[in-house]
Structure formats: structure tokens, C-alpha cells
Amino acid sequence: MSPAESPGGLATVDAARDALRARGLRWTPQRRVLVEVVLAAHGHVTGAELIDRCRAIDPDTTPSTVYRTLDTLEELGLVQHSHGLDGGEEYHTLPASEHGHLRCEGCGGSWDIEASEAEALTRALTDSRGFTVNLSHLTVVGRCKGCSPT
Amino acid sequence: MSPAESPGGLATVDAARDALRARGLRWTPQRRVLVEVVLAAHGHVTGAELIDRCRAIDPDTTPSTVYRTLDTLEELGLVQHSHGLDGGEEYHTLPASEHGHLRCEGCGGSWDIEASEAEALTRALTDSRGFTVNLSHLTVVGRCKGCSPT
DNA sequence: ATTAATGCAAACGGTTTGCACTACT
DNA sequence: AGTAGTGCAAACCGTTTGCATTAAT
């Protein structure tokens, strides 16, 4: 058995390799590069960004391979995507705890919103409408302290 | 003077015409069509959608004109855009009150979130981080009552 | 040997641009 | 007459696809 059943996140390169192989999928150099890049980013990155960073490691990186692998990783629950300020897709590793994102329109900064922080909202919506919030898809846009409207 | 100073929203075709002319901008047939369509939609519509609906009225509608006019209308504060489930741009008229959106991943349904409903969240973020939420850019994704995970 | 995955190149969809022309004021 | 706005066509960007080839198992 593995050291510990990961709660779903992409914790290490080895975990990704194991997860893929466990499903009869293959572990390739290209996938290794992408997984490394995704892990190193531990934030929110667009597909195009990921391609660039992969190319920094392997200049021969191909878009189709990256996108296809991202799809695969998402199916395995190792990464997830949401949408950024410009509406573009953004990928991020699935961390131990589900969380939302905070984006500043001024500086472009990004922070996590913990479940506890969003609880007031999620509970309000559940109570009043029976609506279940997908926290990891939640992006709150606005202005951070430093970029506040004077 | 106008009947009533609109609080910013796009209420009628005439209001749009007046707002444009007040800035030395022009009122054209194409703009009239788009404004009619946007008003009729009173929901969230993508740019592509708007183009289609405009074409239903005027088959000669051109994408560039629509997008350019949407930009103009947004500058005037008559419409605003946010992002949908797929990350695509969605336009909507600026209603009297600022509000967020609720989107169901299951059925694609869309509802408004009133300021009061989101207040718990906005206040929490303001208090703890000095972050000012842009409510009209807020889209909460999840599952509605009917589409709830069994 | 099997078949998953890659690389290429082309297509895609929505949006944006440059430029000459049109038409609102 | 003056200039904002239009229409066209081409470019753009990130993403997706088909297909023949390569390589992990």
C-alpha cells in the first residue's frame, strides 16, 4: 500500500505516476515535465502559461500534448481548472482542502479563500435556495487592500 | 431634463440613445438593434449570442460592430460583462442594484445574488483582508436544488 | 505486441484589428 | 463638412482535432 491515501491532491511527481499507472495509463517524459511544472506553480496557471513553462524545460513541448495531459490529470482528480479574470482557463493542483480564489483587479494578485471564510456565503445559499456551492470553482473579484479605490 | 436620473442601468432604448448623444456619440440603426437585443435578454448573454440575436433582426450584423458597440456601452456604464461557466464573456444590462450571479453546473441555470445575500461574504473579506468585493463580477458556481448531487 | 501517447499541422471559435467607405450630426 | 461608426477581411490567441508515428507497458 502507499504511505498514505492522498485525499485527492497532486502531492508529488511519484503520486502522479502511480495514479496514472494504476489506471493503465502511461508515464512519459512529457507528462513528467508537465507534472513538475504544475507542482512548482502551486497557484493558478493558464494552459498557455503551462506550455511556456514546460518549454523552458523541454523546448519541444507541444500544446496538444499539454492540453491532453491536463485533461487526463483532471479526470484523475489530480488537477482542476477554473476561470481567471480574463475568463481564461486556469489550472491548479487539487490541494488537501477545497478552496476558492480571490483575485485583485488592480494588481492581479491571487489568494486562496478557505472554506471557513466562505462558509457564511455557502450556508446562506444552501439555506435559502438549496444551492450547493462548488467552492473550488469560486473566484471572487475585487480590489485588495493596496489597490483599494482611494 | 430627463424623467428620472437613471442610477446607471440601461433601462430603455431611448435612454441609451440619449446617453450616447450626450457624449457626442452617434445613434445608428446597428446600435439600436444591439440595444434592443440586450434589453430583451435581461440576463447574461455571450457576445456571440448577441451577434446571433442581432442577426435575427438584421442579418447583416457584423461581429466587429457588435463588439465595438458593447465596449462603448460598457464605457458608458450601460452594460457590464462578467464570465460564464465556460469562461466566456457574458454581457448583461446594469440593473438598478449591483448583484452577483449564481450558476448551476447541472442545468446551466442562472440566478441573481442580491447584495444582502452576499453581504456575509463581502464583509468577511473586507474585515479580514481589507478586500473590496466587486459584486457584479461575482459568479458562484455549484448545483441548484434540482440538480443537487443525490 | 499491444495500444496509449506523441507530434504535426490544420481547423476551430470567439474576439480584435486596420483600413477604406458610409452616414450620422 | 467633419468625424464617428461601419463592413470587410484578415489576423489573432488559446485550444482542439485527425491522423500517422513513436514508445511505454
Side-chain angles (χ1 to χ4, degrees):
Chain A
M1 63 193 88
S2 25
E5 201 77 315
S6 165
L10 200 182
T12 66
V13 175
D14 287 355
R17 183 202 55 210
D18 294 347
L20 285 164
R21 289 201 169 135
R23 297 232 191 164
L25 303 178
R26 293 170 186 177
W27 185 239
T28 68
Q30 296 84 347
R31 290 185 166 179
R32 167 175 255 284
V33 169
L34 177 58
V35 167
E36 278 170 0
V37 165
V38 169
L39 281 173
H42 63 61
H44 332 79
V45 215
T46 64
E49 258 294 313
L50 288 172
I51 291 168
D52 286 345
R53 297 191 192 177
C54 283
R55 282 212 233 259
I57 298 175
D58 173 8
D60 294 333
T61 300
T62 296
S64 47
T65 299
V66 171
Y67 286 112
R68 281 192 281 233
T69 300
L70 285 170
D71 286 349
T72 302
L73 293 176
E74 190 156 21
E75 271 164 31
L76 297 199
L78 299 178
V79 302
Q80 208 175 305
H81 80 274
S82 53
H83 300 286
L85 275 184
D86 57 350
E89 306 217 307
E90 297 203 335
Y91 292 86
H92 55 91
T93 66
L94 250 201
S97 63
E98 205 190 10
H99 68 276
H101 303 299
L102 203 57
R103 290 299 291 262
C104 176
E105 299 175 309
C107 61
S110 177
W111 302 267
D112 289 346
I113 300 177
E114 301 304 328
S116 57
E117 218 166 355
E119 198 192 334
L121 174 74
T122 58
R123 193 170 44 216
L125 292 173
T126 303
D127 290 353
S128 62
R129 319 204 190 208
F131 191 96
T132 309
V133 174
N134 178 349
L135 184 55
S136 48
H137 216 116
L138 177 70
T139 299
V140 178
V141 177
R143 300 202 150 251
C144 73
K145 205 166 194 168
C147 296
S148 287
T150 352
Chain B
M1 62 194 86
S2 26
E5 201 79 316
S6 164
L10 200 183
T12 66
V13 174
D14 288 353
R17 183 202 55 209
D18 294 347
L20 285 164
R21 289 201 168 134
R23 297 233 192 162
L25 303 178
R26 295 172 187 176
W27 185 239
T28 68
Q30 296 83 348
R31 288 185 168 179
R32 168 174 253 282
V33 169
L34 176 58
V35 167
E36 277 171 1
V37 165
V38 170
L39 282 174
H42 61 61
H44 332 80
V45 215
T46 64
E49 258 294 313
L50 289 172
I51 292 169
D52 286 345
R53 298 191 190 177
C54 283
R55 283 211 234 258
I57 299 176
D58 172 8
D60 294 333
T61 299
T62 298
S64 47
T65 298
V66 172
Y67 286 113
R68 282 191 281 231
T69 300
L70 284 171
D71 286 349
T72 302
L73 293 177
E74 191 156 20
E75 272 164 30
L76 298 200
L78 299 179
V79 302
Q80 210 175 304
H81 80 274
S82 53
H83 300 286
L85 275 183
D86 56 351
E89 307 216 308
E90 297 203 336
Y91 292 86
H92 55 90
T93 66
L94 249 202
S97 63
E98 204 190 10
H99 68 276
H101 302 300
L102 203 57
R103 292 298 291 264
C104 176
E105 299 175 308
C107 61
S110 178
W111 302 268
D112 289 346
I113 300 176
E114 303 304 327
S116 57
E117 219 166 355
E119 198 193 335
L121 173 75
T122 57
R123 192 170 43 216
L125 291 173
T126 304
D127 290 352
S128 63
R129 318 205 190 207
F131 190 96
T132 308
V133 174
N134 177 350
L135 184 54
S136 49
H137 216 116
L138 177 70
T139 298
V140 177
V141 177
R143 299 199 151 253
C144 72
K145 206 167 195 169
C147 296
S148 286
T150 351

